[in-house]
Amino acid sequence: MSTNQPGQAATQSGNSFGELPKIISVDDHVIEPAHLFERWLPKKYHERGPKPVTTGIGRLEYTGASYKITTDPNGPPADWWFYEDLRFPYKRNIAAVGFSRDEMTLEGITRGEMRPGLYDPAERLKDMDVNHVEASLCFPTFPRFCGQTFSEAADKEVALACVRAYNDWMVEEWCGDSGGRLIPLIIIPLWDVHLAVEEIKRNRARGVTAVCFSEIPAFLGLPSIHTGYWDPFFETCADLGVTINMHIGSSSTMPAASPDAPAAVQASLSFNNAMASMADFIFAGIPARFPKIKLAYSEGQMGWIPYALERMDDVWLEHRAWAVTGEVLPEAPSYYFRRNMFACFFRDRHGVNSLDVIGEDNVTFETDYPHVDSTWPHTKKIAEEHLAGLGAETVYKIIRGNAIRMLDLDLDRDRVRVGA
């Protein structure tokens, strides 16, 4: 990519777009405060609900697809959630900002060792100010990326109450006093699509426009998106303008190669889930049947998208006699991507160089605070380096405009045509 587009002069900072717009990050994370369920879960469920515990952590063993974790009273202290048979510790790699790269390990961590911005909304806003970020959409940690923790629980009455409690905390406490800078992202009761629809409607009534969902629900033992089971959920989200956000790993399965491959293999291949999910949704006919649906792939990066679209279009055209049903997919897959889907990146030079194929209207930006991959507190510098050769309007779309349109945010109304 050339440094400047034709007819554009570089600024003193070396880019062609001037001052970087304030960032809207569509993929960050929150560490839940210890008081969450005590304060927001109805008292009748307290004994059966999640409980915060500080105790020692034993050895963490990576098994190729997951981690084996045990408590050890004599081990280093960590903050945990105890819920039914689940023992869930917070680890340094998911609470990494503020530590050096060599300190971002799988060791346990207490909230007292974390930056307060991980769990305190007022402190989060300060960390956003340091990082040139105006607004942030935060995924859960203890409930996992789409609420799998509660879906896997045995007592579904308590689990449903926990889902609602988490969402009440998210909307009223985490986002409530932020002046719109913290954007609410809710979870749903994955085990019952009709309860999920009710929760979408309950929260849309108080302004929520974003919901977590699994990239591949069949991997969670849930009905496939091809069965039609999820259609009421998809229809409700499309009709109410609620964006479905699918984080890598929201299927509780990360790509791997050999069963004994090191974690570096999994980390390098993490985008594969987003690629697989995109093909799954398109060929299931979800965007074809729900034209207003908005599907967002969080932390999936985007450099892989040009070939994925090329291949899907070739399959749609060349393999239609046996692999594709025209009634399900009357248009080429790339058409539905550009109309209904959003990619998200933080470091992806190849993707930026391929914007002409991906589409500048389909790209959003993230900081991944506070995970190992996070660009905090250097996000502005990294974004400027990635986008240096682009024009001001394209940079605006990537850094904030597309996120405003995707999430129907009450920002820049004079510049962004929401719903376009």
Side-chain angles (χ1 to χ4, degrees):
M1 176 184 291
S2 62
T3 303
N4 300 304
Q5 293 181 349
Q8 293 176 321
T11 65
Q12 290 183 349
S13 62
N15 67 55
S16 55
F17 53 79
E19 177 65 16
L20 187 78
K22 281 294 186 74
I23 295 163
I24 297 177
S25 176
V26 300
D27 173 31
D28 295 318
H29 302 266
V30 61
I31 298 294
E32 296 79 17
H35 67 254
L36 191 159
F37 295 101
E38 180 181 4
R39 183 174 298 176
W40 293 96
L41 189 66
K43 288 185 178 180
K44 66 178 181 178
Y45 298 121
H46 279 189
E47 285 302 311
R48 293 182 286 161
K51 296 177 179 61
V53 175
T54 301
T55 189
I57 192 167
R59 183 182 176 191
L60 278 73
E61 180 182 354
Y62 179 65
T63 62
S66 61
Y67 298 96
K68 183 179 180 181
I69 307 169
T70 58
T71 59
D72 180 355
N74 297 316
D79 279 340
W80 302 66
W81 288 102
F82 285 12
Y83 175 47
E84 294 190 343
D85 294 331
L86 176 65
R87 302 292 180 262
F88 182 98
Y90 290 118
K91 307 186 297 296
R92 282 195 178 197
N93 67 324
I94 61 173
V97 295
F99 292 99
S100 71
R101 285 291 166 190
D102 291 332
E103 294 174 315
M104 296 177 183
T105 65
L106 294 177
E107 296 175 47
I109 190 172
T110 64
R111 291 181 184 85
E113 298 172 287
M114 302 176 191
R115 288 188 65 83
L118 276 68
Y119 54 84
D120 182 305
E123 293 297 321
R124 175 62 66 94
L125 295 178
K126 294 178 185 178
D127 281 355
M128 290 162 58
D129 289 338
V130 168
N131 206 31
H132 198 69
V133 174
E134 179 175 1
S136 170
L137 186 77
C138 293
F139 282 83
T141 302
F142 164 61
R144 313 219 301 278
F145 292 146
C146 65
Q148 304 102 298
T149 293
F150 302 122
S151 181
E152 294 168 1
D155 189 331
K156 289 299 190 286
E157 179 185 0
V158 177
L160 179 60
C162 287
V163 168
R164 291 171 174 165
Y166 177 88
N167 290 339
D168 291 343
W169 166 81
M170 165 62 62
V171 175
E172 305 296 336
E173 183 177 330
W174 179 251
C175 300
D177 294 328
S178 70
R181 295 187 63 190
L182 294 172
I183 306 163
L185 175 62
I186 63 165
I187 58 177
I188 55 172
L190 290 164
W191 61 92
D192 188 316
V193 70
H194 301 295
L195 291 175
V197 167
E198 289 178 12
E199 192 63 8
I200 291 291
K201 292 179 177 178
R202 182 176 81 94
N203 286 280
R204 187 65 184 93
R206 51 182 174 177
V208 176
T209 60
V211 62
C212 302
F213 191 61
S214 174
E215 61 208 349
I216 309 173
F219 284 179
L220 300 177
L222 299 169
S224 160
I225 60 170
H226 298 268
T227 63
Y229 174 83
W230 296 103
D231 283 6
F233 168 70
F234 296 142
E235 182 177 21
T236 300
C237 289
D239 289 347
L240 298 182
V242 175
T243 300
I244 299 172
N245 298 265
M246 295 174 284
H247 197 284
I248 55 168
S250 56
S251 59
S252 296
T253 303
M254 293 296 285
S258 304
D260 53 350
V265 174
Q266 181 192 82
S268 299
L269 298 177
S270 59
F271 70 91
N272 279 2
N273 276 6
M275 182 165 59
S277 177
M278 182 179 292
D280 211 25
F281 270 82
I282 288 175
F283 283 112
I286 305 303
R289 287 186 288 118
F290 305 103
K292 294 183 179 179
I293 202 167
K294 291 184 285 186
L295 302 169
Y297 286 98
S298 307
E299 206 172 320
Q301 309 300 336
M302 61 179 182
W304 51 270
I305 291 176
Y307 176 70
L309 293 179
E310 178 183 342
R311 178 58 183 165
M312 283 190 279
D313 281 358
D314 281 347
V315 168
W316 177 80
L317 182 65
E318 306 293 345
H319 297 250
R320 61 185 180 272
W322 67 277
V324 184
T325 303
E327 289 78 10
V328 173
L329 211 65
E331 303 288 344
S334 57
Y335 169 84
Y336 299 107
F337 168 77
R338 294 194 174 90
R339 189 186 69 181
N340 299 97
M341 295 182 170
F342 294 86
C344 171
F345 81 102
F346 50 89
R347 287 191 184 93
D348 190 341
R349 294 183 184 276
H350 183 71
V352 173
N353 288 337
S354 303
L355 273 179
D356 58 331
V357 179
I358 299 169
E360 64 183 34
D361 294 323
N362 298 87
V363 175
T364 58
F365 196 69
E366 65 165 288
T367 78
D368 197 30
Y369 179 109
H371 286 183
V372 169
D373 264 327
S374 179
T375 52
W376 186 92
H378 308 296
T379 302
K380 181 181 180 184
K381 178 177 181 292
I382 291 170
E384 287 174 337
E385 291 171 351
H386 270 65
L387 306 178
L390 303 179
E393 187 61 28
T394 299
V395 171
Y396 171 80
K397 289 180 179 181
I398 292 170
I399 291 297
R400 62 186 285 119
N402 291 338
I404 292 171
R405 181 167 54 88
M406 181 179 92
L407 298 169
D408 194 12
L409 302 180
D410 193 21
L411 295 169
D412 302 0
R413 291 288 178 171
D414 58 335
R415 188 167 182 175
V416 175
R417 186 160 62 92
V418 175

